[in-house]
Amino acid sequence: MMLTGVLVLASLFSIIFFVSGGSHFQDPLFCVFVVFSFTSIVDLIISLEEDGYISGFMEVYIREGQPYLRTAHGIMICYWDGVIHYGLYLAMIAAIGQRKSYRNLGLFWLGSLIMSIVVFLLGNLIGKYSSDLSPAFLLNLPYILIPIWAGKRLFQQPKALPCLSPEKVAEEQRKRLYQRPQDMGLVLVLLLTAAFTFFRGMVVLDCPADSCFEYIYQREPYLRDPVAYPKVQMLIYMFYVLPFFCLCIYGLVLPGCSWLPDWSLVFAGAVAQAQFSHLGSSLHNRTPFPYQTPEDVWWSFFITNVLYALGPQLLAYRCLRCPAFFLPATPASLHVGKKHQ
């Protein structure tokens, strides 16, 4: 199987090299996207086979190499990789071929891939499949090392600066929060999302409060699943995503936080991937029945988690659509602001 994969990749690189004359290979991320697009197709095959749509392709590899991919969480991350990541790879490959910027797509992909692999690896190490780890587990290491390197290159790429005059930037940055109703709505959404993040973090930490006990047994029993993926996910939300939500509120209140547009894209990708996997796993029939979402709370659970995923996407969209508030203040804009005062 490994030999077949190597031969297919070698053939793919040869075709691309002869067709393009090697011009695409000037960007090393092109090779990364080509290889990862191949693995995305493999993941899509795994997910389709595990759900019974096809058969006879990856059964031996799953049984002998990575049996944890048969869990509901494993199937969901394979679907995400085989559809969303694959689409992003094709879009970024096309952008490289047309000499266009793919920085925003790359940052979204970066957050999505890192969240996926971190939760997957930690869940495997501490969950019920920790005793079944084999050397095939090491195949996941490139998914940690390569995104770190790729992320560094993506952040080093030049940003597409908007055509805004210093006067326009100064005018936008002089507005208070109450003068920006869309930002006020985003702050409210982020406050609610942060509160829900903290609550679910306390739930998986076995908080003795009655509300936490009721939630984990009657609302979201998947958090008790011994595979440990949901617990790891909630802890990552609590210790990493929650502080970022607080920083986002700060960035929406005070002007000039030029870091927010880039990092909002990274966290938008991370939360989108995490919520898709968590929501799908909670409802998938591979999850043992005691840990599946009860039917009487299905719609409230579904709507709550979709809205949770929607908040970071709205923030990223706002940062990209109207970036003037987040641009660093230029000397000219500072002069205009002082003159206005």
Side-chain angles (χ1 to χ4, degrees):
M1 187 177 299
M2 183 178 296
L3 178 61
T4 302
V6 171
L7 291 176
V8 170
L9 281 174
S11 302
L12 182 60
F13 274 110
S14 300
I15 294 172
I16 295 173
F17 181 82
F18 286 113
V19 170
S20 64
S23 59
H24 294 349
F25 291 89
Q26 295 177 0
D27 188 341
L29 287 180
F30 175 81
C31 301
V32 173
F33 298 149
V34 170
V35 174
F36 278 14
S37 64
F38 172 76
T39 60
S40 293
I41 295 299
V42 174
D43 283 344
L44 182 60
I45 293 173
I46 290 174
S47 58
L48 291 174
E49 183 166 331
E50 290 303 315
D51 272 343
Y53 295 107
I54 58 177
S55 62
F57 290 93
M58 305 297 295
E59 181 180 354
V60 175
Y61 173 74
I62 297 299
R63 185 178 66 250
E64 303 295 337
Q66 302 194 61
Y68 29 82
L69 287 175
R70 283 183 164 170
T71 62
H73 184 85
I75 294 172
M76 288 297 107
I77 64 173
C78 285
Y79 272 124
W80 183 269
D81 191 42
V83 178
I84 303 300
H85 285 169
Y86 184 66
L88 290 173
Y89 294 139
L90 294 183
M92 290 187 287
I93 289 172
I96 293 174
Q98 298 173 9
R99 301 291 192 274
K100 294 182 179 179
S101 174
Y102 57 92
R103 191 174 188 273
N104 291 340
L105 289 175
L107 292 176
F108 186 90
W109 160 80
L110 179 66
S112 175
L113 184 62
I114 289 179
M115 178 66 83
S116 174
I117 196 63
V118 168
V119 174
F120 183 63
L121 294 184
L122 291 179
N124 292 335
L125 289 173
I126 68 175
K128 72 176 186 179
Y129 285 97
S130 59
S131 59
D132 296 333
L133 297 180
S134 66
F137 184 75
L138 299 176
L139 294 174
N140 296 296
L141 290 181
Y143 284 92
I144 299 178
L145 302 177
I146 294 179
I148 295 175
W149 168 78
K152 182 180 179 181
R153 292 192 62 91
L154 287 169
F155 276 104
Q156 289 175 346
Q157 291 184 3
K159 295 183 181 181
L161 296 178
C163 298
L164 296 172
S165 64
E167 293 78 11
K168 178 66 176 177
V169 174
E171 178 186 357
E172 187 68 23
Q173 294 188 354
R174 283 196 304 268
K175 294 180 180 179
R176 303 297 183 184
L177 182 61
Y178 64 85
Q179 296 174 306
R180 295 176 279 122
Q182 292 182 348
D183 289 353
M184 284 189 64
L186 273 176
V187 168
L188 178 61
V189 169
L190 290 173
L191 285 173
L192 294 175
T193 306
F196 188 53
T197 301
F198 180 77
F199 174 73
R200 289 205 293 188
M202 297 303 295
V203 167
V204 298
L205 289 175
D206 298 327
C207 175
D210 292 340
S211 57
C212 294
F213 182 84
E214 178 185 358
Y215 185 84
I216 199 171
Y217 279 93
Q218 299 183 13
R219 298 285 177 178
E220 205 166 339
Y222 178 61
L223 297 177
R224 298 185 293 114
D225 195 329
V227 294
Y229 302 123
K231 186 171 185 177
V232 170
Q233 185 67 77
M234 295 305 116
L235 292 178
I236 290 177
Y237 275 165
M238 185 177 185
F239 292 115
Y240 294 96
V241 179
L242 176 58
F244 177 74
F245 286 154
C246 298
L247 290 174
C248 289
I249 295 173
Y250 172 85
L252 288 170
V253 173
L254 296 179
C257 295
S258 57
W259 49 267
L260 185 54
D262 286 348
W263 284 102
S264 66
L265 278 169
V266 174
F267 276 82
V271 174
Q273 189 282 326
Q275 285 301 106
F276 174 83
S277 301
H278 181 72
L279 184 61
S281 302
S282 301
L283 306 174
H284 199 277
N285 56 16
R286 284 290 178 91
T287 298
F289 182 76
Y291 306 121
Q292 292 183 15
T293 303
E295 292 185 3
D296 56 336
V297 298
W298 194 94
W299 279 109
S300 62
F301 166 78
F302 181 82
I303 293 173
T304 301
N305 280 275
V306 169
L307 292 177
Y308 186 94
L310 190 60
Q313 317 308 315
L314 293 176
L315 174 64
Y317 177 74
R318 184 263 179 269
C319 292
L320 294 178
R321 186 172 178 271
C322 303
F325 187 78
F326 309 106
L327 294 177
T330 62
S333 63
L334 291 175
H335 176 72
V336 172
K338 291 179 180 179
K339 183 178 178 181
H340 176 80
Q341 292 175 359

